[in-house]
Amino acid sequence: MNILIFLSVRSYRKTPSTFYFLIISITNIIYILINLISRIVSTGFLIDLTRSSVIWCKARLSLIGVFGLISFTCSSLATIDQFFATSPNVHLRRCSNIKWTYRIILLTILLCILHAIPCFIYLDISPITKTCLVTNNAYNFYLSLYSLSLISTFPVIIMSIFGYLTYRHINLRRILIRQSADRQITRMTLIQVILVITTITPYGIQITYNLITTGIYKDTDRMIKESFSLTIVSLLTYVYFVGSCYTFLITSSRFRRAVKDHICFWRRRAQVAALIYPIQERIVFRNQVH
């Protein structure tokens, strides 16, 4: 739904923050399709292609890394853009520019793809356990740091800082003039900040705990509890990938109207028809009279 709304409403396509939201929505749905569906199939139907197909083993985690990183990066960039857009400084407001947004997104996508190349190289199916895993120990350790930094810590810190600064700008300027910022888009951005913090922070805490306790002996009971905890916080991250539509519906009346118009499209046709038919009847009547 997000993709449909952001593509169909011209003002959303031309606004940097909502264009970031469009990219986030596209990457999120691809992430969900790749990750969640494969989990459901492997768990529910016992069909795990990562154990039988080397290509899928490499491609799945690499693509998840690419689209996940793009999504979190664009979320951070959207918050930074709103900081610029709501700034009382005219020079900072000029930094909120759609042309620059296009370039930044292209650069982000390119860097995320390059970042995932080692993942594609080092992933393989273990001949012993028949599971898809990283064959390089150094890169395996880097992945833990990557999950802690680029996926959890950095986005949360960046969005918290710039979200707070944006909120300060709003309070300093009670009435935002139209050229400076759209209040509803600002609310959408701030609710996105809250969504990221609440869903990603527990995952970052779990990864930190795992890194700290790496060299500690753990009995079976503790390992089961840690595995259960990791499963819960991992599932919580899916709320970020699927929850933005609901948060936008809550915070933006314009977004709600756009959704309503697209869902109830037949009503628009009926309203248009109700306006057109009387006009056509009057034209026909006049022609008959003359």
Side-chain angles (χ1 to χ4, degrees), residues 167-182:
Y167 181 75
R168 282 193 61 188
H169 285 168
I170 295 173
N171 285 340
L172 289 173
R173 307 178 68 198
R174 293 290 181 181
I175 302 176
L176 294 175
I177 61 175
R178 189 174 183 82
Q179 289 79 6
S180 297
D182 186 315

Side-chain angles (χ1 to χ4, degrees), residues 105-168:
I105 288 175
L106 287 175
L107 180 61
T108 299
I109 293 173
L110 177 61
L111 291 176
C112 290
I113 292 173
L114 293 175
H115 179 267
I117 291 176
C119 185
F120 189 85
I121 294 172
Y122 291 124
L123 277 169
D124 205 347
I125 298 176
S126 171
I128 301 174
T129 61
K130 298 298 181 182
T131 57
C132 183
L133 48 79
V134 177
T135 57
N136 185 284
N137 292 330
Y139 186 71
N140 192 34
F141 179 73
Y142 167 76
L143 286 180
S144 298
L145 295 179
Y146 154 77
S147 298
L148 177 61
S149 57
L150 296 181
I151 295 298
S152 54
T153 305
F154 288 169
V156 168
I157 291 176
I158 291 171
M159 296 183 73
S160 298
I161 292 173
F162 284 96
Y164 170 72
L165 293 175
T166 300
Y167 181 75
R168 282 193 61 188

Side-chain angles (χ1 to χ4, degrees), residues 267-280 282:
R267 291 186 179 180
R268 295 205 312 273
R269 293 179 180 176
Q271 291 172 353
V272 172
L275 293 173
I276 292 176
Y277 290 156
I279 296 174
Q280 290 178 338
R282 286 198 297 269

Side-chain angles (χ1 to χ4, degrees), residues 197-253:
I197 292 173
T198 54
T199 58
I200 303 303
T201 301
Y203 181 75
I205 294 172
Q206 180 70 41
I207 296 299
T208 304
Y209 170 81
N210 290 344
L211 286 173
I212 293 173
T213 60
T214 299
I216 299 176
Y217 170 77
K218 302 176 183 179
D219 57 22
T220 304
D221 181 64
R222 182 172 177 176
M223 291 176 65
I224 292 173
K225 290 178 180 178
E226 290 182 0
S227 177
F228 176 75
S229 174
L230 181 60
T231 301
I232 295 299
V233 297
S234 297
L235 289 175
L236 182 62
T237 60
Y238 286 110
V239 177
Y240 161 75
F241 292 100
V242 301
S244 58
C245 180
Y246 304 104
T247 56
F248 293 159
L249 285 171
I250 294 171
T251 55
S252 174
S253 58

Side-chain angles (χ1 to χ4, degrees), residues 72-106:
F72 287 116
T73 303
C74 286
S75 291
S76 302
L77 291 171
T79 312
I80 295 172
D81 177 79
Q82 274 303 295
F83 163 75
F84 290 140
T86 58
S87 174
N89 188 315
V90 65
H91 298 293
L92 288 179
R93 287 203 302 272
R94 288 173 182 169
C95 294
S96 178
N97 186 293
I98 191 64
K99 292 182 179 180
W100 277 104
T101 301
Y102 295 151
R103 296 169 185 172
I104 291 171
I105 288 175
L106 287 175

Side-chain angles (χ1 to χ4, degrees), residues 1-10 12-13 254-255 257-260 262:
M1 182 58 71
N2 285 2
I3 298 172
L4 178 63
I5 300 302
F6 290 138
L7 282 176
S8 59
V9 179
R10 187 177 183 277
Y12 282 156
R13 295 197 307 271
R254 188 199 309 172
F255 189 86
R257 284 196 302 270
V259 171
K260 184 179 179 181
H262 281 81

Side-chain angles (χ1 to χ4, degrees), residues 47-64:
I47 303 173
D48 191 354
L49 292 177
T50 59
R51 292 175 175 267
S52 57
S53 172
V54 176
I55 297 298
W56 180 243
C57 165
K58 292 175 176 290
R60 177 180 174 273
L61 290 178
S62 299
L63 291 174
I64 286 173

